[in-house]
Every structure is written in structure tokens, then in C-alpha cells.
Amino acid sequence: MKSFKETTGQVHSVETFGTVDGPGIRYILFLAGCPLRCIYCHNSDTWDYTIGETRTVSEVFEDLLRYKAYYDRAGGGITLSGGEPTLQPYFLAELFQRCQIEGIHTCLDTSGFCDLEKAQLFLPHTNLVLLDLKHMDGPRHQEITGVLPDKTFAFAHYLAEKKIPTWIRYVLVPGYTDATEDIEKLCLFVKKLNNVERITFLPFHQLGSAKRKTLNIADPLQDLQSPSKESIEIARNIARKHNLVT
Ligand code: SF4
């Protein structure tokens, strides 16, 4: 039976064998709700905060414990993703705290669109942040995501101040985010942070387009191709020049 006092979260879905959202093999919890509207989002079915199931911290934690030995062996842990998981800061903080007490590595996959006073709740219990930077230019960021980047930039600086290990992820969208000057600006920003362990360029792909169609979401990228291997290499070379990739 659920306790009245227990913190609950709105959970969209769970993946028990995640291999791309943090180190090792991971329990990926996708939380419902996102304030952004990225034009290339492949999880647009998570945008609505009311979908999914309401679950207590204990319910999630006990489910996770069933696989713990497996994640331990594989150097993994738990990743909270979404949607935007920082929209549920109390649930996030409590769950991560319990995980860390149990020796489970905690990772947060976020756009960084988060109030800093809320971040203070969960960052002390976060081992690693996967921070998605979408664009360094304000108006372009707004065009791509629906919001300005100020909160994300403040969050990135706060992570650096708190020395939280961070991996940066940046989606290369041809014609939107892949200009040389875009990548230069990104690298100059990242270079100033002292906590970034890696930067990864993710190619735009059409995997989210079917969901957008089903949900009747406008899709300005419906005819766009993924970036070529060469353009990914160009981005990596710029980052290499800044000593951000090997
Ligand atoms: S922040 Fe993530 S979940 Fe939200 S719209 Fe952007 S890509 Fe989708």
C-alpha cells in the first residue's frame, strides 16, 4: 500500500538495459513532462506531465534493486531521463539519495532547464550529469527548443562550481546546429567549465518522426537527412583543436 508521506514521481517508462545514457549498463527511468519543444525530439510522447504512472520512490527503488547486482557487475547504475527529469526535483533527489546509500551510481540526463534552488536538492546525490546543450545562440536556441538558453547556461556554470562530473551532448542538425561557428562557440563555452569529462556529437536522425506524426506535432525537419560522417568529423575536429576530444 502506498504511504501518504512518500514522494511520488510521474514515470513515463523504464528501460532495464540502457547502454547509451551513462557508463555501463543502466536502469533508465524516463519521467513524464518537458517544458522544451525541441524540433528534433525523439521522445515527444513524454512531453505531457500527466501521462504514465504515478510511482513512489520505494516502488521504483525496489524494482531497481532486482537488477542491482547486474548493474554493479557492468559498471552501471541508474539514469533519470525524460522528458525533463528536473521538473520532479523532490522525487529525483530522494531516489538518488537512496541509490547512493545503496552504492548505486546515479546519472541525470537533462537539458539543464532547471531552477538552481531546485538543483540544490538533487545535485548532492548525483554522480554524473549528461547535459544536452542545444545551441549557443539565444534566438537560435529558442527557435530549436521553444525556450531561451539562459537557464541551461546558468545550470552548466553551477555544475562546474559544484564540480559535478559532466558529459556534454550536442545534436548535430544539418543547417540548424552544425555551422563551424556554432561548434566553435560551443567549444569555447565548454572549455571554460572545469568539470566536463567528455563531449559527444550526436547525429540528428528521423527516429522521432513517427511519434511526431502520431501526436500531430508539426515537423519542420521531416525531410531532413542525418548529417554525413564527414560533418560529424568536422565537429569533432573543432573540438579536438580545443582539446575537448582525443
Ligand atoms: S529536452 Fe529532451 S525531451 Fe524535452 S523536447 Fe528537448 S529533446 Fe525532447
Coordinates of all heavy atoms in Angstrom, one line a residue, residues 97-164:
Q97 N 19.3 9.8 -3.6 CA 19.8 9.7 -2.3 C 19.8 8.2 -1.8 O 20.8 7.7 -1.4 CB 19.1 10.6 -1.3 CG 19.7 10.6 0.1 CD 19.1 11.6 1.0 OE1 17.9 12.0 0.8 NE2 19.8 12.0 2.0
R98 N 18.7 7.6 -2.1 CA 18.6 6.2 -1.7 C 19.5 5.3 -2.5 O 20.1 4.4 -2.0 CB 17.1 5.7 -1.8 CG 16.2 6.2 -0.7 CD 14.8 5.7 -0.8 NE 14.8 4.3 -0.3 CZ 13.6 3.6 -0.1 NH1 12.5 4.3 -0.3 NH2 13.6 2.4 0.2
C99 N 19.6 5.6 -3.7 CA 20.5 4.9 -4.6 C 22.0 5.0 -4.1 O 22.7 4.0 -4.0 CB 20.5 5.3 -6.0 SG 18.9 4.9 -6.8
Q100 N 22.4 6.2 -3.8 CA 23.8 6.4 -3.4 C 24.1 5.7 -2.0 O 25.1 5.1 -1.9 CB 24.1 7.9 -3.3 CG 24.3 8.5 -4.6 CD 25.0 9.9 -4.5 OE1 24.8 10.6 -3.6 NE2 25.8 10.2 -5.6
I101 N 23.1 5.7 -1.2 CA 23.3 5.0 0.1 C 23.5 3.5 -0.2 O 24.3 2.8 0.5 CB 22.0 5.2 1.0 CG1 22.0 6.6 1.5 CG2 22.0 4.2 2.2 CD1 20.7 7.1 2.2
E102 N 22.9 3.0 -1.2 CA 23.0 1.6 -1.6 C 24.2 1.3 -2.5 O 24.4 0.2 -3.0 CB 21.7 1.2 -2.3 CG 21.0 -0.1 -2.0 CD 21.1 -0.7 -0.6 OE1 20.5 -0.1 0.3 OE2 21.6 -1.8 -0.5
G103 N 24.9 2.4 -2.8 CA 26.1 2.2 -3.6 C 25.8 2.2 -5.1 O 26.6 1.7 -5.9
I104 N 24.7 2.7 -5.5 CA 24.3 2.7 -6.9 C 24.7 4.0 -7.6 O 24.3 5.1 -7.1 CB 22.8 2.4 -7.1 CG1 22.4 1.0 -6.5 CG2 22.3 2.5 -8.6 CD1 20.9 0.8 -6.3
H105 N 25.4 3.9 -8.7 CA 25.8 5.2 -9.4 C 24.6 5.9 -10.0 O 23.8 5.3 -10.6 CB 26.8 4.7 -10.5 CG 27.4 5.9 -11.3 ND1 26.8 6.4 -12.4 CD2 28.5 6.6 -11.1 CE1 27.5 7.4 -12.9 NE2 28.6 7.5 -12.1
T106 N 24.6 7.2 -9.8 CA 23.4 8.0 -10.2 C 23.8 9.0 -11.3 O 24.8 9.7 -11.2 CB 22.8 8.8 -9.0 OG1 23.8 9.7 -8.5 CG2 22.3 7.9 -7.9
C107 N 23.0 9.0 -12.3 CA 23.3 9.8 -13.5 C 22.0 10.6 -13.9 O 20.9 10.0 -13.9 CB 23.8 8.9 -14.6 SG 24.0 9.8 -16.2
L108 N 22.1 11.8 -14.2 CA 21.0 12.7 -14.6 C 21.1 13.1 -16.1 O 22.2 13.7 -16.4 CB 21.0 13.9 -13.7 CG 20.0 15.0 -14.0 CD1 18.5 14.5 -13.8 CD2 20.2 16.2 -13.2
D109 N 20.2 12.8 -16.9 CA 20.2 13.2 -18.3 C 19.2 14.4 -18.4 O 18.0 14.2 -18.3 CB 19.7 12.0 -19.1 CG 19.5 12.3 -20.6 OD1 20.0 13.4 -21.0 OD2 18.9 11.5 -21.3
T110 N 19.7 15.6 -18.7 CA 18.9 16.8 -18.6 C 19.3 17.8 -19.7 O 20.4 17.8 -20.2 CB 19.1 17.4 -17.2 OG1 18.3 18.6 -17.2 CG2 20.5 17.8 -16.9
S111 N 18.3 18.7 -20.0 CA 18.5 19.8 -20.8 C 19.1 21.0 -20.0 O 19.4 22.0 -20.6 CB 17.2 20.3 -21.5 OG 16.4 20.8 -20.5
G112 N 19.1 20.8 -18.7 CA 19.6 21.9 -17.8 C 18.6 23.0 -17.6 O 18.9 24.0 -17.0
F113 N 17.4 22.8 -18.1 CA 16.3 23.9 -17.9 C 15.7 23.7 -16.6 O 14.7 23.1 -16.4 CB 15.3 23.7 -19.0 CG 14.4 24.9 -19.1 CD1 14.8 26.0 -19.8 CD2 13.1 24.8 -18.6 CE1 13.9 27.1 -19.9 CE2 12.2 25.9 -18.7 CZ 12.6 27.1 -19.3
C114 N 16.5 24.2 -15.6 CA 16.1 23.9 -14.2 C 16.5 25.1 -13.3 O 17.5 25.8 -13.5 CB 17.0 22.7 -13.8 SG 17.0 22.3 -12.1
D115 N 15.6 25.4 -12.3 CA 15.9 26.4 -11.4 C 17.0 26.0 -10.4 O 17.0 24.8 -9.9 CB 14.7 26.8 -10.5 CG 13.6 27.4 -11.4 OD1 14.0 28.1 -12.4 OD2 12.4 27.2 -11.2
L116 N 18.0 26.9 -10.1 CA 19.1 26.4 -9.3 C 18.8 26.1 -7.9 O 19.4 25.2 -7.3 CB 20.2 27.5 -9.4 CG 20.8 27.8 -10.7 CD1 22.0 28.8 -10.6 CD2 21.2 26.5 -11.4
E117 N 17.7 26.7 -7.4 CA 17.4 26.3 -6.0 C 16.8 24.9 -5.9 O 16.9 24.2 -4.9 CB 16.4 27.3 -5.3 CG 15.1 27.5 -5.9 CD 15.0 28.6 -7.0 OE1 16.1 28.9 -7.5 OE2 13.9 29.1 -7.2
K118 N 16.2 24.5 -7.0 CA 15.8 23.1 -7.1 C 17.0 22.1 -7.3 O 17.0 21.0 -6.8 CB 14.8 22.9 -8.3 CG 13.5 23.7 -8.1 CD 12.6 23.0 -7.1 CE 11.3 23.7 -6.6 NZ 10.8 24.8 -7.4
A119 N 17.9 22.6 -8.1 CA 19.1 21.8 -8.4 C 19.9 21.4 -7.1 O 20.5 20.4 -7.0 CB 20.0 22.5 -9.4
Q120 N 19.8 22.4 -6.1 CA 20.5 22.1 -4.8 C 19.9 20.9 -4.1 O 20.6 20.3 -3.3 CB 20.3 23.3 -3.9 CG 21.1 24.5 -4.4 CD 20.7 25.8 -3.6 OE1 20.3 25.7 -2.4 NE2 20.9 26.9 -4.2
L121 N 18.7 20.5 -4.5 CA 18.1 19.3 -3.8 C 18.7 18.0 -4.3 O 19.0 17.2 -3.5 CB 16.6 19.3 -4.1 CG 15.7 20.4 -3.6 CD1 14.3 20.4 -4.2 CD2 15.6 20.4 -2.1
F122 N 18.9 17.9 -5.6 CA 19.3 16.6 -6.1 C 20.8 16.5 -6.5 O 21.3 15.4 -6.6 CB 18.4 16.2 -7.3 CG 18.3 17.2 -8.4 CD1 19.4 17.4 -9.3 CD2 17.2 18.0 -8.5 CE1 19.3 18.3 -10.4 CE2 17.1 19.0 -9.6 CZ 18.2 19.1 -10.5
L123 N 21.5 17.7 -6.8 CA 22.9 17.5 -7.2 C 23.8 16.9 -6.2 O 24.7 16.2 -6.6 CB 23.4 18.9 -7.7 CG 22.9 19.3 -9.1 CD1 23.5 20.7 -9.5 CD2 23.1 18.3 -10.1
P124 N 23.6 17.1 -4.9 CA 24.4 16.5 -3.9 C 24.4 14.9 -4.0 O 25.2 14.2 -3.5 CB 23.9 16.9 -2.6 CG 23.3 18.3 -2.9 CD 22.7 18.1 -4.2
H125 N 23.3 14.4 -4.7 CA 23.2 13.0 -4.8 C 23.4 12.5 -6.2 O 23.0 11.4 -6.5 CB 21.8 12.6 -4.3 CG 21.4 13.2 -3.0 ND1 22.0 12.9 -1.8 CD2 20.5 14.2 -2.7 CE1 21.5 13.7 -0.9 NE2 20.6 14.4 -1.4
T126 N 24.0 13.3 -7.0 CA 24.2 13.0 -8.4 C 25.6 12.8 -8.7 O 26.5 13.6 -8.5 CB 23.6 14.2 -9.3 OG1 22.3 14.4 -9.0 CG2 23.7 13.8 -10.8
N127 N 26.0 11.6 -9.2 CA 27.4 11.3 -9.6 C 27.8 11.8 -10.9 O 29.0 12.1 -11.1 CB 27.6 9.7 -9.6 CG 27.5 9.1 -8.3 OD1 26.6 8.3 -8.0 ND2 28.3 9.5 -7.3
L128 N 26.9 11.9 -11.8 CA 27.2 12.3 -13.2 C 26.0 13.0 -13.8 O 24.9 12.6 -13.7 CB 27.6 11.1 -14.0 CG 27.9 11.3 -15.5 CD1 29.2 12.1 -15.7 CD2 28.0 9.9 -16.2
V129 N 26.3 14.1 -14.6 CA 25.2 14.7 -15.4 C 25.5 14.6 -16.9 O 26.7 14.9 -17.3 CB 25.1 16.2 -15.0 CG1 24.1 17.0 -15.9 CG2 24.7 16.4 -13.5
L130 N 24.5 14.2 -17.6 CA 24.6 14.2 -19.1 C 23.9 15.5 -19.5 O 22.6 15.5 -19.3 CB 23.9 13.0 -19.7 CG 24.4 11.6 -19.2 CD1 23.6 10.6 -20.0 CD2 25.9 11.4 -19.3
L131 N 24.6 16.5 -19.9 CA 23.9 17.8 -20.1 C 23.8 18.0 -21.6 O 24.8 18.1 -22.3 CB 24.8 18.9 -19.5 CG 24.2 20.4 -19.7 CD1 22.8 20.5 -19.2 CD2 25.2 21.4 -19.2
D132 N 22.6 18.2 -22.1 CA 22.4 18.4 -23.5 C 22.4 19.9 -23.8 O 21.6 20.7 -23.3 CB 21.0 17.9 -23.9 CG 20.9 16.4 -23.9 OD1 21.9 15.7 -23.9 OD2 19.7 15.9 -23.8
L133 N 23.4 20.4 -24.5 CA 23.4 21.7 -25.0 C 22.9 21.7 -26.4 O 23.2 20.9 -27.2 CB 24.9 22.3 -24.9 CG 25.5 22.4 -23.5 CD1 26.9 22.9 -23.6 CD2 24.7 23.4 -22.7
K134 N 21.9 22.6 -26.6 CA 21.2 22.6 -27.9 C 21.7 23.6 -28.9 O 21.7 23.3 -30.1 CB 19.7 22.9 -27.7 CG 19.1 22.2 -26.5 CD 18.8 20.7 -26.8 CE 18.0 20.1 -25.6 NZ 17.7 18.7 -25.8
H135 N 22.1 24.8 -28.5 CA 22.6 25.8 -29.3 C 23.2 26.9 -28.4 O 22.7 27.1 -27.4 CB 21.6 26.4 -30.3 CG 22.2 26.9 -31.6 ND1 22.9 28.1 -31.6 CD2 22.1 26.5 -32.8 CE1 23.3 28.3 -32.8 NE2 22.8 27.3 -33.6
M136 N 24.2 27.6 -28.9 CA 24.8 28.6 -28.0 C 24.2 30.0 -28.3 O 24.5 30.9 -27.5 CB 26.4 28.7 -28.3 CG 27.1 27.4 -28.0 SD 26.5 26.5 -26.5 CE 27.2 27.6 -25.3
D137 N 23.5 30.1 -29.4 CA 22.9 31.4 -29.7 C 21.5 31.5 -29.2 O 20.7 30.6 -29.5 CB 23.0 31.6 -31.3 CG 22.3 32.8 -31.7 OD1 22.9 33.9 -31.6 OD2 21.2 32.7 -32.3
G138 N 21.1 32.6 -28.5 CA 19.8 32.7 -27.8 C 18.7 32.5 -28.8 O 17.8 31.6 -28.6
P139 N 18.5 33.3 -29.8 CA 17.4 33.2 -30.7 C 17.3 31.9 -31.4 O 16.3 31.3 -31.6 CB 17.6 34.4 -31.7 CG 18.4 35.4 -31.0 CD 19.3 34.6 -30.1
R140 N 18.5 31.3 -31.8 CA 18.5 30.0 -32.5 C 18.1 28.9 -31.5 O 17.4 28.0 -31.9 CB 19.9 29.7 -33.0 CG 20.3 30.5 -34.2 CD 19.5 30.1 -35.4 NE 20.1 29.1 -36.3 CZ 19.5 28.5 -37.2 NH1 18.2 28.7 -37.5 NH2 20.1 27.6 -37.9
H141 N 18.5 29.1 -30.3 CA 18.1 28.1 -29.2 C 16.6 28.1 -29.1 O 16.0 27.1 -29.0 CB 18.8 28.4 -27.9 CG 18.7 27.4 -26.9 ND1 17.5 27.3 -26.1 CD2 19.5 26.4 -26.4 CE1 17.7 26.3 -25.2 NE2 18.9 25.8 -25.4
Q142 N 16.1 29.3 -29.1 CA 14.6 29.4 -28.9 C 13.9 28.8 -30.1 O 12.8 28.2 -29.9 CB 14.2 30.9 -28.7 CG 12.8 31.1 -28.3 CD 12.5 32.4 -27.6 OE1 13.2 33.4 -27.9 NE2 11.6 32.5 -26.7
E143 N 14.4 29.1 -31.3 CA 13.8 28.5 -32.5 C 13.8 27.0 -32.4 O 12.8 26.3 -32.8 CB 14.6 29.0 -33.7 CG 14.1 28.6 -35.0 CD 15.1 28.8 -36.1 OE1 16.1 29.5 -35.9 OE2 14.9 28.3 -37.2
I144 N 14.9 26.4 -31.9 CA 15.0 24.9 -31.9 C 14.2 24.3 -30.7 O 13.7 23.2 -30.9 CB 16.5 24.6 -31.8 CG1 17.2 25.0 -33.1 CG2 16.7 23.1 -31.6 CD1 18.7 25.0 -33.1
T145 N 14.2 25.0 -29.6 CA 13.7 24.3 -28.4 C 12.4 25.0 -27.8 O 11.7 24.4 -27.0 CB 14.7 24.4 -27.2 OG1 14.8 25.7 -26.8 CG2 16.0 23.8 -27.7
G146 N 12.1 26.2 -28.3 CA 11.0 27.0 -27.7 C 11.3 27.8 -26.5 O 10.5 28.5 -26.0
V147 N 12.6 27.7 -26.0 CA 13.0 28.4 -24.8 C 14.3 29.0 -25.0 O 15.1 28.6 -25.8 CB 13.0 27.6 -23.5 CG1 11.6 27.0 -23.2 CG2 14.1 26.5 -23.6
L148 N 14.6 30.1 -24.3 CA 16.0 30.7 -24.3 C 17.0 29.8 -23.5 O 16.5 29.0 -22.6 CB 15.9 32.1 -23.7 CG 15.2 33.1 -24.6 CD1 15.0 34.4 -23.9 CD2 16.1 33.4 -25.9
P149 N 18.3 29.9 -23.8 CA 19.2 29.0 -23.1 C 19.7 29.5 -21.8 O 20.5 28.8 -21.2 CB 20.4 29.0 -24.2 CG 20.3 30.3 -24.8 CD 18.9 30.7 -24.9
D150 N 19.3 30.7 -21.3 CA 19.9 31.2 -20.1 C 19.9 30.3 -18.9 O 20.9 30.2 -18.2 CB 19.1 32.5 -19.7 CG 18.9 33.5 -20.8 OD1 18.6 33.0 -22.0 OD2 19.1 34.7 -20.6
K151 N 18.8 29.6 -18.7 CA 18.7 28.6 -17.6 C 19.7 27.5 -17.7 O 20.4 27.1 -16.8 CB 17.3 28.0 -17.5 CG 16.3 28.8 -16.6 CD 15.1 27.9 -16.4 CE 14.1 28.6 -15.6 NZ 12.9 27.8 -15.3
T152 N 19.8 27.0 -18.9 CA 20.8 25.9 -19.2 C 22.2 26.4 -19.0 O 23.0 25.7 -18.4 CB 20.6 25.4 -20.6 OG1 19.3 24.9 -20.7 CG2 21.6 24.4 -21.0
F153 N 22.5 27.6 -19.4 CA 23.9 28.1 -19.2 C 24.2 28.3 -17.7 O 25.3 27.9 -17.3 CB 24.1 29.4 -20.0 CG 24.0 29.3 -21.5 CD1 23.9 30.4 -22.3 CD2 24.1 28.0 -22.1 CE1 23.8 30.3 -23.7 CE2 24.0 27.9 -23.5 CZ 23.9 29.0 -24.3
A154 N 23.2 28.8 -17.0 CA 23.4 29.0 -15.6 C 23.6 27.7 -14.9 O 24.4 27.5 -14.0 CB 22.2 29.8 -15.0
F155 N 22.8 26.7 -15.3 CA 22.9 25.3 -14.8 C 24.3 24.8 -15.1 O 24.9 24.2 -14.2 CB 21.8 24.4 -15.4 CG 21.7 23.1 -14.8 CD1 21.2 22.9 -13.5 CD2 22.2 22.0 -15.4 CE1 21.1 21.6 -13.0 CE2 22.1 20.7 -14.9 CZ 21.6 20.5 -13.7
A156 N 24.8 24.9 -16.3 CA 26.1 24.4 -16.6 C 27.2 25.0 -15.8 O 28.1 24.3 -15.3 CB 26.4 24.7 -18.1
H157 N 27.1 26.4 -15.5 CA 28.1 27.0 -14.7 C 28.0 26.5 -13.2 O 29.0 26.4 -12.5 CB 27.9 28.5 -14.7 CG 28.4 29.1 -16.0 ND1 29.7 29.0 -16.5 CD2 27.8 29.8 -17.0 CE1 29.8 29.6 -17.6 NE2 28.7 30.1 -18.0
Y158 N 26.8 26.3 -12.8 CA 26.5 25.8 -11.4 C 27.1 24.4 -11.3 O 27.8 24.1 -10.2 CB 25.0 25.8 -11.2 CG 24.7 25.5 -9.7 CD1 25.0 26.4 -8.7 CD2 24.1 24.3 -9.4 CE1 24.6 26.2 -7.4 CE2 23.7 24.1 -8.0 CZ 24.0 25.0 -7.1 OH 23.7 24.7 -5.8
L159 N 27.0 23.6 -12.3 CA 27.6 22.2 -12.2 C 29.1 22.3 -12.1 O 29.7 21.6 -11.3 CB 27.3 21.4 -13.5 CG 25.8 21.0 -13.7 CD1 25.7 20.3 -15.1 CD2 25.4 20.0 -12.6
A160 N 29.7 23.3 -12.8 CA 31.1 23.5 -12.7 C 31.5 24.0 -11.3 O 32.5 23.5 -10.7 CB 31.6 24.5 -13.8
E161 N 30.7 24.9 -10.8 CA 31.0 25.5 -9.5 C 31.0 24.3 -8.4 O 31.8 24.3 -7.5 CB 30.0 26.5 -9.2 CG 30.2 27.4 -8.0 CD 28.9 28.2 -7.7 OE1 28.4 28.8 -8.7 OE2 28.5 28.2 -6.5
K162 N 30.0 23.4 -8.6 CA 29.9 22.3 -7.6 C 30.8 21.1 -8.0 O 30.7 20.1 -7.3 CB 28.4 21.9 -7.6 CG 27.5 23.0 -7.1 CD 27.8 23.3 -5.6 CE 27.0 24.5 -5.1 NZ 27.4 25.0 -3.8
K163 N 31.5 21.3 -9.1 CA 32.4 20.2 -9.5 C 31.7 18.9 -9.7 O 32.2 17.8 -9.3 CB 33.6 20.0 -8.5 CG 34.4 21.3 -8.3 CD 35.6 21.0 -7.5 CE 36.6 22.1 -7.5 NZ 36.2 23.5 -7.3
I164 N 30.6 18.9 -10.3 CA 29.8 17.7 -10.7 C 30.3 17.2 -12.0 O 30.2 17.9 -13.0 CB 28.3 18.0 -10.8 CG1 27.8 18.7 -9.6 CG2 27.5 16.6 -11.0 CD1 27.6 18.0 -8.3

